[in-house]
Amino acid sequence: MESRIERLCVERGLKMTGQRRVIARVLSETGDHPDVEELYRRAAALDSRISIATVYRTVRLLEEKGILERRDFGGGRARYEPSEHGHHHHLIDVESGRVIEFEDAEHERVLAAIAARLGFDLVSHRLELFGRRRETASAPAAAEAPKGHRRAGVTR
Amino acid sequence: MESRIERLCVERGLKMTGQRRVIARVLSETGDHPDVEELYRRAAALDSRISIATVYRTVRLLEEKGILERRDFGGGRARYEPSEHGHHHHLIDVESGRVIEFEDAEHERVLAAIAARLGFDLVSHRLELFGRRRETASAPAAAEAPKGHRRAGVTR
DNA sequence: GTATTTGCAAAACCTTTGCTCGGCT
DNA sequence: AGCCGAGCAAAGGTTTTGCAAATAC
């Protein structure tokens, strides 16, 4: 059965080899932000005839095709997530390393306004928040993520 | 004569060697965001008895002491700028690679509010905008940076 | 059939580190 | 003399690449 990412690959005219199909499937089932090493582990678990070089080449290719996005959360290795994941940013819990996704329309507006003030059209932007879980009892559970129309979700 | 960064080093209790003095001076005169290689070039121009290992060790040390801040603008290498440079972020011109600095109070407020909504206290954040110079004639010159109380400045 | 993709290992790249020597207190 | 910093070169971690063999279309 054809995975979501595989369909995108085909649409973009990529040759679908066995390895790419496996990697595409791993990515399709991915709800987090794995690095290449982790993708390699997951892919190799499905089909051991995959080398890490191929994973590197594939994520690079998919990034160029706009199917994947590369992230840098610090730590020296790139991490990846599927693009069709909706526009959002990340808040990294400095204590646990957990990654929480969020989006915020007002924030987007402010950024566009800043760029405009400087005489630029905003092409893209990168934003990461680093935070510490609030201790006061009033902290809402961060895991209230209604599937399908989520606003914030915890992941790794 | 003692450079601004050198003074900070002394205040923080660092031993001032000849190499550190040179690197401190280079950093004091720095208005941009050099990588280690570039710092090494500039330092070596003042005193050739400096190795790149020392530059690496020194920027690391100064970062730990809060004198320098490490940035990642993509491209695989870390770039540095003095901390006492005021709170600001960067807009990178996607066409030329030029870096424009800016700050924006409203934006800071919005970020704190987002973190609070997720139950976090904001520890720090990273923001980079990528933009394209606006073509319309109404674009203000981005170089209107009144020294001393600047709002936005172009640098590299 | 032919152009692409893979695996492997080696290389490239940035950064850190072991060790010895040099310099400052 | 004693310590800490510096230089050099080697090692470290991640990512890329050359080449021959395998594979997709």
Side-chain angles (χ1 to χ4, degrees):
Chain A
M1 162 224 132
E2 192 181 52
S3 69
R4 197 175 62 82
I5 302 280
E6 181 179 348
R7 194 166 329 130
L8 289 171
C9 291
V10 173
E11 284 171 13
R12 261 61 159 198
L14 298 183
K15 291 199 169 164
M16 288 316 291
T17 65
Q19 288 88 333
R20 285 188 186 165
R21 242 182 288 271
V22 170
I23 295 171
R25 186 172 144 204
V26 167
L27 289 170
S28 295
E29 295 167 356
T30 282
D32 51 359
H33 313 79
D35 58 30
V36 169
E37 193 75 29
E38 177 63 24
L39 287 174
Y40 172 59
R41 259 192 299 272
R42 297 182 194 174
L46 297 180
D47 181 345
S48 60
R49 293 168 311 173
I50 288 184
S51 82
I52 197 164
T54 297
V55 179
Y56 271 106
R57 279 192 270 237
T58 303
V59 293
R60 194 174 217 264
L61 186 65
L62 298 203
E63 195 201 350
E64 281 164 12
K65 294 293 184 183
I67 296 171
L68 273 191
E69 275 173 33
R70 190 203 304 246
R71 302 283 178 194
D72 168 28
F73 296 156
R77 39 235 273 176
R79 295 170 65 173
Y80 291 87
E81 72 179 329
S83 298
E84 323 276 308
H85 194 219
H87 190 53
H88 65 269
H89 296 290
H90 300 98
L91 186 157
I92 295 99
D93 185 330
V94 295
E95 234 112 69
S96 68
R98 237 194 334 266
V99 178
I100 289 145
E101 301 182 350
F102 67 89
E103 53 185 317
D104 187 280
E106 182 188 0
H107 171 252
E108 307 285 327
R109 261 200 317 281
V110 171
L111 294 189
I114 291 172
R117 195 181 75 211
L118 299 173
F120 281 78
D121 287 321
L122 196 55
V123 171
S124 69
H125 60 277
R126 239 165 41 185
L127 170 68
E128 274 102 50
L129 305 186
F130 296 85
R132 192 183 321 274
R133 189 134 222 163
R134 184 172 282 169
E135 300 192 356
T136 70
S138 68
E144 41 99 297
K147 186 69 182 174
H149 191 239
R150 87 149 80 64
R151 328 212 73 210
V154 179
T155 166
R156 224 207 177 298
Chain B
M1 161 226 133
E2 192 181 51
S3 69
R4 197 175 60 81
I5 301 281
E6 181 179 348
R7 192 164 332 124
L8 290 171
C9 290
V10 174
E11 283 170 15
R12 261 62 158 196
L14 298 183
K15 293 205 167 155
M16 288 316 291
T17 65
Q19 287 88 333
R20 285 187 185 166
R21 242 182 289 272
V22 170
I23 295 171
R25 184 171 146 205
V26 167
L27 288 170
S28 295
E29 295 167 356
T30 282
D32 51 358
H33 313 79
D35 58 29
V36 169
E37 193 75 30
E38 177 62 25
L39 287 175
Y40 171 59
R41 258 192 299 272
R42 297 182 194 174
L46 297 180
D47 180 345
S48 60
R49 292 168 312 173
I50 288 184
S51 82
I52 196 164
T54 297
V55 179
Y56 271 106
R57 280 192 268 238
T58 303
V59 292
R60 194 172 219 263
L61 186 65
L62 299 203
E63 195 200 351
E64 281 163 13
K65 294 293 184 183
I67 297 173
L68 273 190
E69 275 173 31
R70 189 204 305 248
R71 303 282 178 193
D72 168 29
F73 296 155
R77 38 235 273 180
R79 295 168 65 173
Y80 292 87
E81 70 179 331
S83 299
E84 323 275 309
H85 196 217
H87 189 55
H88 65 269
H89 297 290
H90 301 97
L91 187 158
I92 295 100
D93 184 330
V94 295
E95 234 112 69
S96 69
R98 236 191 338 262
V99 178
I100 289 144
E101 302 181 350
F102 68 88
E103 54 184 317
D104 187 280
E106 181 187 1
H107 171 252
E108 307 285 327
R109 262 201 316 282
V110 172
L111 293 188
I114 291 172
R117 196 180 76 210
L118 298 174
F120 282 76
D121 286 321
L122 195 55
V123 171
S124 68
H125 60 277
R126 234 163 47 185
L127 170 69
E128 278 109 45
L129 305 186
F130 296 86
R132 192 183 322 274
R133 190 136 219 159
R134 184 172 280 167
E135 299 192 356
T136 69
S138 67
E144 42 100 298
K147 187 67 182 174
H149 191 239
R150 88 148 82 64
R151 329 211 72 211
V154 178
T155 165
R156 225 209 175 298

